[in-house]
Each structure stands twice: as structure tokens, then as C-alpha cells.
Amino acid sequence: MVGVTITKHEKETRGEYIAHVADSDAVGCLTWVERDGVHFADHTLVPPEIGNRGVAMRLVEAMVADARENQFKVAPVCSYVVAAFNRHPDWNDVRA
């Protein structure tokens, strides 16, 4: 896989993780909304031109790492995030 850099952008009670892929101008994103200290992961989008490279999983992994570091819980809402959490019971420590 080519290099993927994940950046986090947030404003008040919402935010997103953006995946920048080294060989493309296309970006992937995972958006969230915060309520009562829980980040609800509500949408994941990876354009076809950067699909099938593990970008969506890298976005979820970034959110999980951020949740552990900053001590918040994640509520999977987006179907991709739900499936990723179901495949990773080791993430239950941050699952709301």
C-alpha cells in the first residue's frame, strides 16, 4: 500500500478524519458527531479511485487510537464502522 496520512479536523461538536493517499488527489473521510462525550461515527466515504487499499479501515483505526489517547467513547453508526468494530473485539474498550 502507498502511504496514507490521516488528519483530524474538528469544530465544536463534530469533526472528521481525512485520509490523504500519497499517489492521489482523492481523499477518504470518516465523520462524527459528539453528544455527551461520545463520538458517533456516522459516515465513512472512500472514493473508488482510492478504494480497495484499506483506507476506510485506516480511518477507523485512527479514530480508535484517538479515542484511547483522548479518553472518549465511539458509537458506531455507519455500517462500515459497525462491521469494523464487530471484527475487532479488542476495540470494545472504546465502544459506547
Side-chain angles (χ1 to χ4, degrees):
M1 172 193 248
V2 297
V4 176
T5 303
I6 308 289
T7 58
K8 179 182 177 183
H9 307 269
E10 58 186 317
K11 185 174 181 179
E12 298 174 14
T13 60
R14 59 183 58 249
E16 61 187 357
Y17 297 88
I18 303 290
H20 308 270
V21 179
D23 66 350
S24 178
D25 291 331
V27 297
C29 71
L30 186 161
T31 62
W32 55 268
V33 176
E34 186 269 329
R35 287 191 300 269
D36 299 322
V38 175
H39 290 199
F40 290 80
D42 58 4
H43 187 69
T44 305
L45 174 66
V46 175
E49 53 267 42
I50 58 172
N52 298 315
R53 299 185 191 192
V55 173
M57 183 57 75
R58 293 282 303 274
L59 287 163
V60 180
E61 290 168 347
M63 185 173 209
V64 169
D66 189 26
R68 286 179 173 148
E69 182 177 327
N70 293 294
Q71 300 172 347
F72 62 83
K73 297 290 187 182
V74 176
V77 177
C78 161
S79 61
Y80 182 85
V81 179
V82 168
F85 266 80
N86 288 340
R87 285 192 307 269
H88 288 275
D90 54 310
W91 295 350
N92 283 343
D93 62 313
V94 298
R95 189 174 196 160

